[in-house]
Amino acid sequence: MSHFGNIDKHPQITTIGGHNVIGGLSHVYHCNYYNAYLQMTVLLTQGMGDHNPERLLTDSVTALVQLLKQRGYSELDLLHEFAYCGFGMLQQLNDNTWETPHSHYGKTSCLHSKPQKNCYFTSGYLQGLLEKRVEETECKLLGAPKDKFMVFDEAIKVENYLTRTFELQTTIPERFAFEGCQDFSTRVDEEKIIAGLKTVPLYGQYGPDETGLIEVFGAILTNQFMGYYNRVSYETYFALRDAGVPAADSKEMFIQAGHVCAFNTFGRIMNSPEWYNVVVAMCETKEDWLHSMIAVINMLGWGIYRVEKMDSEQELIVRVYNSYEGVGFRRMYPPTDDKNMSFLAMGATLGLVHLLWKVDIRNKPALTPTFYVEQFNHPDNSYQVEQTHAIAAGDDYDRFIVSK
Amino acid sequence: MIEKNLYTINMGALLYALNTNRTKQGLIEIEHALIASKLGILFALKTNAYVNFKRETIELNDAQLIALHEIFEQHFNARMTEEIRALVIIQESQPEKADIHQLVPSSRTRTTGFFSKIKGFLRMRPEVQESPA
């Protein structure tokens, strides 16, 4: 039975504990800015002994596509899913060549060196689909009209890395209804926000005239495999640590990627017509805006965010149940002693606070790189973030304190 | 014991110079904090030594200065020879205990130092190329 068998060619999506599961694998929404920044961070380790970041970026998705095939995905299902999740349109030219006229990773790069081929993810996806080694030969980022991929007559060997069992938590407390939670008073209706924003098409379309991209809120989104993000992030982090880079420096780029993500994704959502149509009427204060954005985050597959405390302009404490980084870590590695391991969530919660208490997104600033550098990420009036609880370290939830 | 050159560099000026170099080439400016973070990681991976590039000034030896120059070229698309030459303050030669791999005479240290190594980069090209005979 096809996984994309219905009329709309949409896959079956199961939402459980804040995870959006497609084909048995959790997916999370992120924007092109985050994806480009994360890929840049992973590629910092180029030329570092046995660690091969290009292979990491490629093979990490190959293993996931192989899992989907084991679960009954056909080739057509995989082509549909590639487009549905916003990666672009895959087309076969002949036995040895594929191309993407439009692709997420061929569109944006955050590298500061000479431009280079960028579509490691697409190569890896094709590898899983074809069970053969694939390399990108032409990339739009280098001026080519389309990204092109060569298929080599060479079988691939990629190991599954989701080797540990870790179940999602299903008994998650309701909003504002758990021990230790502040007594909040807000008109923000989380269900209404979710219902309103569900009308936004957060998927790409497969077809000859389609791009297979998700272009919304002034950004380009992907509904990426959770396992992919976790694999490339943590393997890079461990490689940096093994090479002697201090923990704080090794984490910083990943946390900063979350901060960039908040600025671009949250910021653009909070500047969007959809936000103004659905959300703003419920909001009287900056704190209402924070509660509202937390409601949106709970749609993204990042887990369930629950605000524990909010002291205006001073401190925000958030718990995250089933955080995708914590769950992902436990599905790959044994528990760690380090509590500060959910890098994306640390940067994102810090960024969320900066959007309201530092730059005030309600004034609709243009979210330009200059604005990011000169105001949003400027050290003046900045907050700091600390993770006190971590699923990766055996806790029931992640917990973050953002404070002055 | 051998002698090694030590160079002091003001990081603010260096990062400003890097962005100036990039913008002259039509490349985008990069946030100073991001440059410093990337430099910290790339430098550690390349040299097995950690330097905090977020500080106001840094001190590097010859080999480290060469490594920094290479990182700028490879990872930031900027050949920073002139800028580094203009910004470094050369301290007096510092005696330093060397391990067996660093045992080179001081005179050789000087000829293989940063400015010697980059001499080729500074050679001016003639404006009009001579035609082959």
Side-chain angles (χ1 to χ4, degrees):
Chain A
M1 191 188 94
S2 171
H3 288 257
F4 285 76
N6 61 25
I7 289 171
D8 293 334
K9 300 287 186 191
H10 289 182
Q12 280 191 328
I13 303 174
T14 308
T15 298
I16 175 170
H19 282 230
N20 300 325
V21 181
I22 307 174
L25 298 173
S26 296
H27 284 245
V28 291
Y29 282 102
H30 269 296
C31 68
N32 51 319
Y33 300 96
Y34 175 75
N35 287 336
Y37 200 101
L38 179 65
Q39 185 147 311
M40 171 195 74
T41 303
V42 172
L43 289 172
L44 285 178
T45 55
Q46 275 175 317
M48 192 184 123
D50 292 338
H51 179 76
N52 184 333
E54 296 93 337
R55 283 257 64 85
L56 178 65
L57 288 166
T58 307
D59 292 350
S60 295
V61 62
T62 303
L64 300 174
V65 174
Q66 288 176 332
L67 282 177
L68 291 177
K69 287 173 79 176
Q70 287 168 19
R71 291 167 186 173
Y73 266 58
S74 67
E75 180 176 315
L76 190 59
D77 289 336
L78 289 169
L79 298 180
H80 274 288
E81 179 149 324
F82 192 84
Y84 180 85
C85 292
F87 300 126
M89 274 296 300
L90 275 173
Q91 294 177 346
Q92 183 172 18
L93 293 184
N94 54 49
D95 284 350
N96 302 317
T97 317
W98 287 68
E99 67 177 18
T100 45
H102 305 279
S103 78
H104 183 87
Y105 283 95
K107 230 174 156 59
T108 319
S109 163
C110 194
L111 293 172
H112 304 121
S113 54
K114 292 180 175 63
Q116 62 184 56
K117 285 175 273 200
N118 199 53
C119 302
Y120 302 103
F121 177 86
T122 308
S123 297
Y125 198 96
L126 281 169
Q127 283 190 165
L129 192 149
L130 303 168
E131 304 285 348
K132 289 181 178 174
R133 187 167 71 82
V134 176
E135 276 187 19
E136 186 179 20
T137 52
E138 293 178 30
C139 188
K140 286 175 99 168
L141 283 174
L142 291 171
K146 298 171 181 178
D147 315 312
K148 276 197 179 162
F149 302 87
M150 173 79 81
V151 183
F152 294 85
D153 196 15
E154 215 176 285
I156 43 148
K157 260 192 176 177
V158 176
E159 287 183 5
N160 174 27
Y161 49 85
L162 299 177
T163 53
R164 292 168 181 270
T165 305
F166 187 80
E167 299 296 336
L168 294 177
Q169 196 173 328
T170 50
T171 52
I172 297 169
E174 293 297 317
R175 190 173 73 136
F176 310 150
F178 53 92
E179 194 178 338
C181 181
Q182 184 180 325
D183 187 15
F184 289 106
S185 170
T186 176
R187 290 199 299 126
V188 171
D189 183 338
E190 185 162 322
E191 297 305 318
K192 197 171 169 186
I193 290 173
I194 291 172
L197 289 181
K198 270 191 174 164
T199 59
V200 180
L202 294 177
Y203 52 84
Q205 299 271 20
Y206 179 78
D209 300 324
E210 303 292 348
T211 63
L213 302 175
I214 307 171
E215 298 182 83
V216 289
F217 306 125
I220 309 171
L221 307 187
T222 51
N223 194 5
Q224 177 60 280
F225 297 99
M226 174 188 96
Y228 183 77
Y229 283 134
N230 289 321
R231 177 70 170 176
V232 301
S233 298
Y234 288 124
E235 286 297 302
T236 303
Y237 170 73
F238 291 133
L240 290 170
R241 295 292 293 123
D242 287 345
V245 178
D249 291 71
S250 300
K251 290 175 182 176
E252 185 181 350
M253 295 289 289
F254 294 102
I255 296 170
Q256 191 62 239
H259 196 241
V260 166
C261 173
F263 176 77
N264 285 293
T265 308
F266 299 171
R268 285 167 208 281
I269 289 172
M270 287 192 269
N271 271 349
S272 70
E274 291 88 350
W275 177 271
Y276 274 84
N277 287 340
V278 175
V279 177
V280 171
M282 300 180 207
C283 298
E284 291 170 3
T285 64
K286 289 181 184 179
E287 288 64 47
D288 289 336
W289 278 59
L290 280 170
H291 284 301
S292 299
M293 193 60 221
I294 294 279
V296 175
I297 292 172
N298 285 335
M299 294 174 59
L300 301 178
W302 295 15
I304 296 290
Y305 281 54
R306 293 284 183 245
V307 179
E308 179 182 314
K309 183 184 175 192
M310 200 185 287
D311 183 4
S312 181
E313 312 274 342
Q314 294 300 318
E315 186 179 60
L316 172 71
I317 301 179
V318 176
R319 294 184 186 183
V320 185
Y321 295 87
N322 291 333
S323 85
Y324 83 77
E325 292 168 290
V327 171
F329 188 97
R330 295 291 295 277
R331 287 181 178 168
M332 294 189 292
Y333 313 109
T336 172
D337 294 334
D338 190 346
K339 299 267 189 189
N340 285 266
M341 288 302 284
S342 293
F343 309 141
L344 172 277
M346 290 172 79
T349 47
L350 179 66
L352 178 57
V353 163
H354 281 169
L355 280 167
L356 270 310
W357 293 346
K358 185 176 179 182
V359 299
D360 200 350
I361 190 69
R362 298 178 304 170
N363 296 329
K364 295 189 178 179
L367 299 173
T368 62
T370 305
F371 183 73
Y372 182 87
V373 171
E374 293 180 358
Q375 297 196 45
F376 190 77
N377 200 37
H378 195 277
D380 288 353
N381 197 31
S382 275
Y383 290 73
Q384 57 190 5
V385 62
E386 181 194 4
Q387 185 174 357
T388 61
H389 294 58
I391 294 169
D395 293 319
D396 289 339
Y397 49 82
D398 286 358
R399 182 171 177 268
F400 306 93
I401 301 178
V402 183
S403 59
K404 266 280 189 188
Chain B
M1 305 282 274
I2 61 167
E3 286 186 339
K4 271 192 162 184
N5 294 315
L6 263 187
Y7 305 92
T8 302
I9 309 175
N10 180 296
M11 278 309 297
L14 184 65
L15 300 185
Y16 180 81
L18 172 64
N19 270 327
T20 303
N21 183 309
R22 283 177 58 86
T23 48
K24 276 183 188 165
Q25 298 181 66
L27 302 171
I28 57 161
E29 277 191 55
I30 311 172
E31 184 182 15
H32 284 192
L34 174 56
I35 301 170
S37 298
K38 282 182 72 168
L39 281 178
I41 290 172
L42 293 166
F43 192 84
L45 297 179
K46 197 175 181 77
T47 64
N48 291 323
Y50 177 70
V51 171
N52 184 354
F53 289 94
K54 290 166 197 150
R55 293 173 57 179
E56 201 172 314
T57 60
I58 55 167
E59 286 185 351
L60 302 178
N61 63 31
D62 286 308
Q64 291 173 327
L65 200 56
I66 291 165
L68 181 65
H69 181 266
E70 289 173 354
I71 288 169
F72 279 139
E73 186 160 359
Q74 289 164 5
H75 296 273
F76 295 92
N77 217 355
R79 186 168 285 195
M80 291 283 287
T81 314
E82 293 292 352
E83 291 87 342
I84 292 176
R85 178 195 281 278
L87 289 172
V88 295
I89 299 166
I90 306 174
Q91 296 182 16
E92 288 182 10
S93 293
Q94 302 289 315
E96 184 173 300
K97 194 175 178 183
D99 66 30
I100 195 162
H101 302 294
Q102 294 174 314
L103 282 173
V104 273
S106 58
S107 59
R108 179 160 171 76
T109 302
R110 199 160 282 288
T111 56
T112 56
F114 179 70
F115 292 118
S116 303
K117 187 141 180 172
I118 62 176
K119 220 181 275 174
F121 300 157
L122 300 176
R123 198 174 297 140
M124 299 294 285
R125 287 184 181 169
E127 283 186 19
V128 179
Q129 297 259 342
E130 286 180 8
S131 300

